[in-house]
Structures are given as C-alpha cells and as structure tokens.
Amino acid sequence: MTRGITVLLALCVVSSVAYLTASKWAIRHQTLTFFDTSRQRPVEIAIAVRRDKEMQAEAGLAELPVAVLNHGNTVKFTEYSFLSNLFAVRGYLAVSIQHDLPSDAPLMTKVGEPYVGRLPVYQRGVANIDFAIAKLKAIVPNADYQHLTMVGHSNGGDISMYYAQLHPDRIRRVVTLDNLRVPFMVDGRFKTLTFRSHDPVFKTDPGVIPAQDVCDKAGITVVKTGFQHTEMSDRGPDAVKNAIAASLDRFLDGQSAGQSSQPARRVVAAR
C-alpha cells in the first residue's frame, strides 16, 4: 500500500513537471508591425502567449491578463524573452514593444530639465504603449487591457513608471529592472517590484527610490542585487536571469521576492 502511494506521488510529480515543461514550449510567439499615421511612425511588437490559454480566451472562457515589456536603451524589444516567456507560462499575454527607431536621436542627459531631458522619450513610450494596445484589442479582444502589469529595464523601467503615474487606474502592478530617473509612486494603489544593480557606472537619481518605511507602506519591494545594470536582459548570464525570474515568480504569487547576492561583475555598455 505504501509503495503504491509512493509510486502514485512520483507519477504526479513527473506529470506536473511534464506539464510545466510542455507549457513553456507551447508558447506562441509572433512579431507584428503597426504604423501610427498620426505620428508617421512604425510600432513593432512581439507577443508571447500560451496556446492553451489563448484558445480558452478565444472561446470566451477566460480573459488573459496583460504584461507590457519595455526595453532598455540600445537593447531590442526581443531581448527579454526570459521575462516574456515567464509571463506567458503563467497565462499572460506578454507584449514587448520596440520604442526606439534608428532615426531617433540618441538619449542625452540635460541637467536641469525634467528627468534630465528624458521626458520626450517617456512621452513617446506612453504613446507607443497606447497605440499598440489599441491595435491589439482588435486582434486579441479577450484580454484585460484595463489592468496592466508594466515591466521595464533601465529606460524602459522609467517608461513603465511614467506610464503608471499618468494612468494609475490602468495598472495592476509594476516591475522595474534598475530604472534610474522616474520616482516610484507611493500612494499604494498597486504593488511594485524593483531590482537594483550594484554598478559603479549606472547610478540611480536621488529621490527615485523612497525610504524603506515609505516602501513598506506603499507596497514597494526593493531587491538589491550584485548584478550589473546591463546584465538584466537576455544578454546577461543565466545565473542573473534565473535569479530575477525566481524573485519575480514569488512576487506574482504574492510572496516575498527576497534578496539576491549575486556578486558584481564589470560590464560596460550604454544604458
């Protein structure tokens, strides 16, 4: 009898692992390009969605939660697959947006201007997000576009937080990977998770991260890491991506995201 129970439990574990593995590889990826005539600008997006969840939504049996991923400067929208796949496996419609075009002027630092001169870049990002969502509503109608999970790395993290400041009623939660310019919201309207690098080159502006007691009251989880700023994308080592994914999983489950102690390594690249 005991042996039979043991075998049954083992089979259940194997089945669960097989299901999770199959789910990971049963993700549909698609890249789409829309053209915003009002701004004379193409907006390219990549979506990732689990096929079984997509079929349920198409049948009207479920509504897909939506995660919007925003890339860092000089990093392409397709270089965050470790995050888009994580959200897709969890049943989200993951939407990565290309914010920058080769014809766009490079990011410049202008001391004394809002967000050191980055405000027009954030406003362009907000316009890209709204335009992409409007187009997606016609393609994937059974998704929750009114309660977004905003995710972003570096400049994309600032776009995410700036969007949340403008439209807090549309935000379910925000996840940033070492954003440097836009301060976090502290009114507690949504949960925030932020990963911070240990990088001598990329320094967070004063006032972006609130004091610990304010974070505790506002539902802001700050994970201090030993990672380099530029490692927080598909370009980074597996150890970094796995640690971020594990903390993000716990955060999405409503658990403590914890801390990372990955040692710092020198990596030089533009933000």
Side-chain angles (χ1 to χ4, degrees):
M1 179 68 175
T2 302
R3 181 182 178 184
I5 294 175
T6 302
V7 172
L8 178 60
L9 290 174
L11 288 173
C12 289
V13 170
V14 171
S15 298
S16 298
V17 171
Y19 172 76
L20 291 174
T21 302
S23 296
K24 181 176 181 179
W25 295 111
I27 298 171
R28 183 174 73 82
H29 296 88
Q30 184 178 13
T31 301
L32 301 167
T33 301
F34 305 114
F35 191 79
D36 186 347
T37 55
S38 66
R39 296 184 296 154
Q40 289 296 294
R41 183 182 184 87
V43 178
E44 195 171 10
I45 69 170
I47 63 174
V49 61
R50 242 174 67 178
R51 295 180 186 274
D52 59 334
K53 296 297 184 180
E54 183 178 37
M55 291 175 63
Q56 292 175 17
E58 289 173 348
L61 301 176
E63 187 177 55
L64 299 171
V66 178
V68 177
L69 279 65
N70 303 290
H71 63 87
N73 184 41
T74 75
V75 188
K76 287 184 65 64
F77 71 121
T78 53
E79 294 185 88
Y80 295 89
S81 63
F82 81 105
L83 293 176
S84 61
N85 284 335
L86 182 151
F87 279 102
V89 166
R90 296 181 69 97
Y92 283 71
L93 172 66
V95 183
S96 299
I97 303 174
Q98 179 65 38
H99 290 294
D100 304 332
L101 300 177
S103 57
D104 292 335
L107 283 184
M108 300 295 291
T109 298
K110 299 179 181 178
V111 178
E113 295 191 17
Y115 310 116
V116 294
R118 306 291 173 81
L119 181 58
V121 175
Y122 305 154
Q123 292 171 332
R124 183 179 69 205
V126 168
N128 289 339
I129 293 168
D130 284 340
F131 177 75
I133 288 175
K135 290 296 184 180
L136 277 172
K137 286 179 178 178
I139 301 172
V140 189
N142 293 326
D144 186 2
Y145 299 105
Q146 297 303 313
H147 303 92
L148 303 171
T149 294
M150 298 297 299
V151 186
H153 172 217
S154 189
N155 187 66
D158 286 320
I159 291 174
S160 298
M161 191 56 65
Y162 186 72
Y163 189 96
Q165 289 182 358
L166 294 180
H167 306 294
D169 55 315
R170 300 180 195 170
I171 301 299
R172 183 186 301 274
R173 60 179 69 86
V174 175
V175 179
T176 74
L177 292 81
D178 218 32
N179 66 304
L180 305 176
R181 309 293 183 187
V182 180
F184 292 94
M185 292 185 65
V186 296
D187 59 6
R189 295 181 65 172
F190 50 80
K191 299 289 186 181
T192 299
L193 171 65
T194 182
F195 296 92
R196 313 312 303 175
S197 73
H198 183 78
D199 194 315
V201 177
F202 299 89
K203 297 295 186 180
T204 306
D205 286 350
V208 171
I209 304 174
Q212 185 60 55
D213 60 330
V214 178
C215 287
D216 293 340
K217 292 179 182 178
I220 300 171
T221 301
V222 180
V223 179
K224 297 179 180 180
T225 78
F227 309 149
Q228 296 294 290
H229 178 89
T230 53
E231 293 179 320
M232 297 180 178
S233 71
D234 285 350
R235 301 178 185 181
D238 288 342
V240 170
K241 292 180 286 187
N242 291 339
I244 291 173
S247 291
L248 178 54
D249 259 329
R250 291 193 292 271
F251 175 73
L252 295 175
D253 286 335
Q255 303 172 15
S256 172
Q259 297 267 330
S260 172
S261 58
Q262 177 75 12
R265 294 186 300 282
R266 175 72 169 176
V267 178
V268 178
R271 56 182 159 173

